[in-house]
Amino acid sequence: MPHAAAPRPTPEALAGSGSGPEGGDVRRWLLALLPASCSGTSPLCTLLKDGTVLCEMINTVKPGTIPKVNKSVFVFKQAENIENFLKASKEIGFTGQLFKVNDLSEPKNVEVVRAALESLAIFICAQPWYHGPRYSAPPLHLPRVSGRNRPGSVCVKDSQNFERKLKRKSVHPVWTTAEMKTDVSEGVKLQNTSLLMSPRRTTIAGCTVQKLDSEVEDSIRAWFCQLLNMAEPPQTLFASLRDGVILCQALNTIWPGAVPKIHLPAPGAVLTAPQMEENASLYLAACVQKLGMPHSSVFSVDDLCKGKNQIQVFIHIQALAKLASQLPSYVGPEMTVELSQEAEKQLLKWVNDTLHTRNISVVDPAKDFCNGLVLIGLLEELCGNTVALHEKTPTLLWHRAQNAILALRFLSDNFVTPLPCSMEDIVGGHTQPIFKLLLYIKQHMDTKYILATIPSSERRRRFVAERLLNAERAYVKRLTAVFEDVIAPLRQALHTQAHIVSGEELSAVFANLDAILLHHATLLLHIEERLAPAAAQQPLLLGDVFTTKMGWLKAVYSEYVPTFENCFPLVQSLRVQNLAFQALLQKVEDSWGRDLDSVLALPVHHVFGYARYISDLLVCTSAEHADYQPLQAAKQNVQQVVDIVTDCKQLAENNRKLQFIEDSMSGDFTPLTGVYIREGFMDIADAGVQSSYFFLFSDRLVFTIFHPAQYPTGKEFEFQAQFWLEDIEEVADNAFEEEDLKEAGASGYAIEVVTSEYSLILLVKTEHEKKEWVRALQETTQVYRS
């Protein structure tokens, strides 16, 4: 018999925001254990996001287990707290499954966090040394699905009642086949590649596609076989899935009653096309509505039943298996894909081919990826823009961690699917998750790789245009949710006695987001018209849409982007001090599956997508095509907007960098201003000081002493002195000092910084470092004077 999983807890229980302000049982236990820290009403993941409550919990049940707890707004410090908590949980004897750092620091797997904390609480309460408040496991709830904004939808309380409703002529299924063809495809699809493709090709229903590597296909086949207790695994995998029967049965095994009706073929017969399509429609509706899978992780009915996109179907199955393994009630098999050595070699070749213009070559993945530079370079090559202000000479652990976080943040901001790799994996050189991350990047971002699977240029153009359309739909949908769920209620409350925020606060947080929504909704209508079925027989023209719309795009983003970073401290302050605002966000963030901060950052990231899509369209468009010149003009117009956004992003990232350095530095120093340039170890000649560390900014050179993390203040850098650039007259190398070093039996390369009052000799270990420091100091001093 197939494995029958029990229903999972509701999302409210999992997020710790069930009935009343206390939330779920984990939240109630934390409140009893730490009343001062957990008395608010914010969502559980928001409460735990910076890791301080988790560390406090461990130190309360086992005092002194975590000696250092970071009180910081920076992601790296918060991630360090979470990592210390995970290590401490194991140190006190807990052997159960825990979550990863970015499950909480970038909350996408609320269920995993909730289940892990529940297991840990039960473990702690069972220990003889624990004498605190007791924890009782929550009861399981039947799954429920909201019919909000879905015409003709019904609320599912149990599968039998739902099936009776389906038989009534006045009530349609949750999503009909026609609805599924349009609605399921609205999300941003995972691009039509898979975990690994080989050069082998096959033809399905007249469409040319690439086949999956046999290792991936075998893992999917074995997962279905174990999940459904099949006597024999399906030999031809995709052909066995096309009628939707196996998929529906698998989903009902993961979540009983998820698919209320399944068409089964008679012995020796096959299903009709409408029956196959209805199976697929009901299956996809259940995935989205009951399991909460994002639209980006599903396929369309035609992808399955007509064989239009075999790879998209397989990517979805992998996502389904991963989601199932995270459900607390699931006890079925896990799908694991181990990449072969040949597959890893091919991925390394792809990385080196992509980065050859940067003169970067990866030889040893365990060492070459750990500083984050290769990943950032790869992302910048693929997206054609600067990813973030990062550390170009990462000599310390916190440099490498910061680079890794920036790369992962870029991916999580642009793609909804969970990342297969964490910051710890990258910094620690864990090759298996790193290779999976490379595969993830390749299948989502390498346009050449994706388009190579599509035979004709016009089909390639339509594929890129559909990706653009899907992205625009998802973007407008998210902005609409912000407007309807937050901005509109706050505005309405302004005209009542019970206003939640002031008009100034409302403007400071959301700026002109409503104007951005209005313009993008109009743009979406124009794109939909060009891609409508009625226009399918005509040449696809999109360039003029962007040339006529770029004026307002530049105007609204020039207003939004320069100030959007300033809204985050205000949102954080309102969360803490304004209970009504806090309650509103708790409700809407649970329904969105992401916090308000990440939604407010969406406009900044979305603009870069236009540049990518227009460039991809140009790659597929010949110079003689009627759309070529308009696309060229659109590319130039979009680039102007991208440049504005890039400048604003770099300014915001620079401000974060300055704040991060200040937070890591002890001593009496003038607050940092200007632009961060570079940093690194340099010794001062004849000073006898060890571990001298310098930061160069656009207005000064700061001298510090680097200390290990156990330094009493908890800060890595102890301020010593600062040298203002206005006082520096000359910067040059000093060959005489280098000769003196050689005569003394030492080695090093000397840099001389000359002022009107003194000459400072700085020593570095390599000639390359000397050249880089001299160049940076000379250029920065020259710019400062001009």
Side-chain angles (χ1 to χ4, degrees):
M1 291 293 291
H3 154 70
R8 65 173 181 170
T10 63
E12 289 82 353
L14 294 170
S17 58
S19 59
E22 293 179 340
D25 292 74
V26 168
R27 179 62 175 268
R28 282 190 286 273
W29 181 71
L30 287 173
L31 179 63
L33 186 68
L34 308 169
S37 302
C38 303
S39 57
T41 59
S42 56
L44 182 62
C45 276
T46 302
L47 175 71
L48 305 179
K49 187 175 180 180
D50 65 1
T52 55
V53 170
L54 294 173
C55 293
E56 187 181 350
M57 177 188 79
I58 293 293
N59 284 338
T60 300
V61 300
K62 274 280 188 177
T65 305
I66 303 176
K68 175 186 174 184
V69 181
N70 300 309
K71 304 287 186 179
S72 175
V73 298
F74 290 100
V75 175
F76 170 72
K77 293 292 186 182
Q78 296 175 355
E80 187 178 280
N81 284 341
I82 299 170
E83 185 177 3
N84 289 338
F85 160 77
L86 296 174
K87 290 179 181 177
S89 299
K90 295 177 181 177
E91 288 175 6
I92 66 174
F94 180 64
T95 58
Q97 185 170 357
L98 290 164
F99 50 87
K100 293 183 178 179
V101 172
N102 39 338
D103 287 336
L104 188 55
S105 62
E106 299 170 5
K108 295 179 179 178
N109 293 326
V110 178
E111 298 174 8
V112 178
V113 175
R114 167 67 175 76
L117 292 179
E118 179 183 327
S119 300
L120 178 62
I122 293 171
F123 165 80
I124 290 173
C125 292
Q127 302 310 305
W129 42 259
Y130 176 73
H131 304 290
R134 313 313 294 174
Y135 175 83
S136 58
L140 292 178
H141 299 269
L142 287 175
R144 57 185 180 84
V145 177
S146 172
R148 179 187 179 189
N149 297 331
R150 175 66 54 188
S153 64
V154 293
C155 179
V156 181
K157 293 186 177 178
D158 62 82
S159 58
Q160 292 181 348
N161 186 40
F162 181 55
E163 189 164 357
R164 285 196 300 271
K165 290 186 177 182
L166 280 177
K167 294 177 181 178
R168 300 178 188 173
K169 293 183 179 180
S170 59
V171 179
H172 300 285
V174 178
W175 281 358
T176 64
T177 303
E179 287 175 319
M180 184 59 66
K181 287 180 180 178
T182 55
D183 289 327
V184 171
S185 62
E186 282 181 6
V188 183
K189 279 190 175 182
L190 294 172
Q191 315 324 336
N192 65 340
T193 56
S194 184
L195 276 177
L196 190 68
M197 295 188 190
S198 68
R200 307 189 306 274
R201 288 179 176 266
T202 185
T203 301
I204 300 176
C207 300
T208 305
V209 296
Q210 289 190 330
K211 286 189 69 178
L212 290 175
D213 185 86
S214 58
E215 295 157 327
V216 178
E217 194 169 329
D218 289 344
S219 70
I220 295 174
R221 184 183 290 108
W223 183 73
F224 276 124
C225 190
Q226 294 177 52
L227 183 69
L228 299 177
N229 289 334
M230 295 180 176
E232 294 183 4
Q235 297 303 313
T236 308
L237 182 58
F238 187 72
S240 67
L241 299 176
R242 287 179 62 182
D243 62 6
V245 173
I246 290 179
L247 289 172
C248 291
Q249 291 174 338
L251 188 55
N252 278 346
T253 302
I254 295 168
W255 190 329
V259 182
K261 175 184 176 182
I262 306 175
H263 293 288
L264 299 174
V270 295
L271 295 180
T272 64
Q275 290 174 324
M276 294 167 61
E277 290 178 354
E278 188 173 359
N279 280 349
S281 298
L282 292 174
Y283 166 80
L284 292 169
C287 285
V288 172
Q289 293 192 353
K290 297 189 178 180
L291 268 72
M293 294 187 77
H295 288 292
S296 58
S297 296
V298 299
F299 50 87
S300 72
V301 172
D302 286 351
D303 288 342
L304 177 69
C305 300
K306 296 183 179 179
K308 284 192 173 181
N309 200 334
Q310 169 184 346
I311 295 168
Q312 181 69 36
V313 174
F314 285 140
I315 292 176
H316 161 80
I317 294 170
Q318 291 165 344
L320 172 68
K322 184 171 184 177
L323 177 60
S325 67
Q326 295 169 354
L327 298 177
S329 59
Y330 179 74
V331 294
E334 291 191 13
M335 185 186 298
T336 57
V337 180
E338 300 298 330
L339 298 178
S340 65
Q341 290 184 351
E342 181 60 30
E344 292 178 352
K345 287 180 182 178
Q346 292 299 318
L347 275 173
L348 282 186
K349 182 178 184 303
W350 169 74
V351 171
N352 288 329
D353 289 346
T354 305
L355 294 175
H356 76 280
T357 56
R358 296 189 175 221
N359 296 320
I360 296 177
S361 179
V362 177
V363 178
D364 183 354
K367 296 180 179 178
D368 296 342
F369 284 101
C370 67
N371 61 16
L373 290 178
V374 173
L375 286 175
I376 290 175
L378 185 64
L379 295 176
E380 289 182 341
E381 282 295 314
L382 292 173
C383 74
N385 284 288
T386 302
V387 169
L389 180 66
H390 59 279
E391 178 53 53
K392 296 179 175 59
T393 55
T395 53
L396 301 177
L397 175 61
W398 72 284
H399 293 157
R400 300 195 292 271
Q402 190 177 34
N403 284 350
I405 288 171
L406 288 172
L408 295 174
R409 182 188 295 159
F410 174 85
L411 289 168
S412 64
D413 285 341
N414 284 276
F415 305 102
V416 244
T417 51
L419 299 178
C421 185
S422 67
M423 177 267 288
E424 295 86 353
D425 293 328
I426 296 171
V427 175
H430 303 152
T431 55
Q432 186 176 3
I434 287 174
F435 275 117
K436 289 183 179 180
L437 181 65
L438 294 177
L439 219 39
Y440 180 98
I441 294 171
K442 184 178 181 181
Q443 68 185 27
H444 286 79
M445 297 186 66
D446 187 354
T447 304
K448 293 180 181 178
Y449 175 69
I450 296 167
L451 295 180
T453 66
I454 304 174
S456 72
S457 60
E458 194 58 31
R459 284 183 62 186
R460 286 194 290 270
R461 295 185 81 248
R462 286 202 168 270
F463 173 78
V464 174
E466 286 170 0
R467 288 177 64 196
L468 167 60
L469 174 62
N470 291 333
E472 194 68 13
R473 280 174 172 164
Y475 182 52
V476 169
K477 182 178 179 181
R478 288 177 182 172
L479 293 186
T480 301
V482 177
F483 182 81
E484 292 180 348
D485 297 343
V486 183
I487 297 177
L490 292 178
R491 279 185 181 165
Q492 291 172 3
L494 286 175
H495 305 292
T496 67
Q497 294 290 334
H499 65 269
I500 300 174
V501 298
S502 67
E504 292 78 9
E505 289 170 331
L506 185 62
S507 298
V509 172
F510 298 101
N512 63 331
L513 202 64
D514 51 350
I516 292 176
L517 170 59
L518 177 63
H519 288 300
H520 278 279
T522 306
L523 177 62
L524 175 59
L525 289 175
H526 286 286
I527 298 173
E528 286 178 331
E529 287 176 2
R530 299 298 175 90
L531 285 167
Q537 304 304 319
Q538 303 173 1
L540 175 62
L541 302 175
L542 278 178
D544 62 311
V545 172
F546 285 93
T547 54
T548 57
K549 297 297 175 187
M550 282 305 109
W552 64 257
L553 192 67
K554 185 176 180 180
V556 295
Y557 280 89
S558 297
E559 180 180 346
Y560 182 83
V561 176
T563 59
F564 92 98
E565 280 283 345
N566 300 331
C567 74
F568 299 132
L570 178 56
V571 170
Q572 184 62 29
S573 174
L574 290 171
R575 283 183 189 275
V576 175
Q577 301 174 11
N578 189 323
L579 295 179
F581 184 78
Q582 189 182 92
L584 175 64
L585 287 196
Q586 178 180 343
K587 177 182 177 182
V588 300
E589 287 176 342
D590 287 344
S591 65
W592 293 347
R594 56 196 302 157
D595 61 16
L596 179 62
D597 290 3
S598 63
V599 176
L600 292 175
L602 283 175
V604 178
H605 302 292
H606 188 72
V607 170
F608 292 95
Y610 291 132
R612 291 199 301 271
Y613 291 129
I614 292 174
S615 296
D616 293 346
L617 281 169
L618 279 168
V619 169
C620 308
T621 307
S622 65
E624 296 77 24
H625 197 287
D627 206 24
Y628 186 78
Q629 292 301 328
L631 283 173
Q632 288 282 15
K635 183 178 180 181
Q636 294 177 3
N637 291 340
V638 169
Q639 191 58 47
Q640 293 177 8
V641 183
V642 167
D643 290 342
I644 293 172
V645 174
T646 300
D647 290 343
C648 295
K649 277 185 65 181
Q650 289 178 345
L651 177 61
E653 287 163 0
N654 179 74
N655 292 338
R656 281 199 298 266
K657 181 76 173 181
L658 297 185
Q659 186 64 53
F660 183 78
I661 294 172
E662 283 191 354
D663 284 354
S664 302
M665 194 158 55
S666 63
D668 186 15
F669 57 90
T670 307
L672 300 178
T673 56
V675 179
Y676 165 83
I677 307 297
R678 66 173 289 132
E679 65 189 87
F681 286 102
M682 290 194 292
D683 292 329
I684 300 177
D686 302 324
V689 179
Q690 299 294 321
S691 302
S692 300
Y693 198 87
F694 285 79
F695 294 93
L696 176 62
F697 305 96
S698 60
D699 59 350
R700 74 189 92 171
L701 180 66
V702 176
F703 167 37
T704 70
I705 302 296
F706 171 72
H707 294 282
Q710 64 266 25
Y711 186 63
T713 64
K715 296 176 181 276
E716 291 85 354
F717 304 99
E718 182 184 5
F719 175 78
Q720 300 295 310
Q722 56 191 5
F723 310 96
W724 296 98
L725 296 191
E726 63 183 356
D727 299 328
I728 295 177
E729 296 180 350
E730 183 183 2
V731 177
D733 56 6
N734 190 315
F736 297 107
E737 186 68 29
E738 293 173 9
E739 290 296 329
D740 292 342
L741 286 171
K742 290 180 182 178
E743 291 177 5
S747 62
Y749 296 85
I751 304 166
E752 185 172 9
V753 179
V754 180
T755 73
S756 58
E757 298 179 359
Y758 56 84
S759 179
L760 184 68
I761 306 296
L762 304 174
L763 305 176
V764 295
K765 292 184 178 180
T766 68
E767 186 174 8
H768 174 73
E769 285 181 281
K770 181 183 77 171
K771 290 180 179 178
E772 289 296 311
W773 270 107
V774 169
R775 180 190 59 78
L777 283 164
Q778 288 176 342
E779 290 179 356
T780 307
T781 304
Q782 183 179 0
V783 170
Y784 181 85
R785 288 172 181 167
S786 61

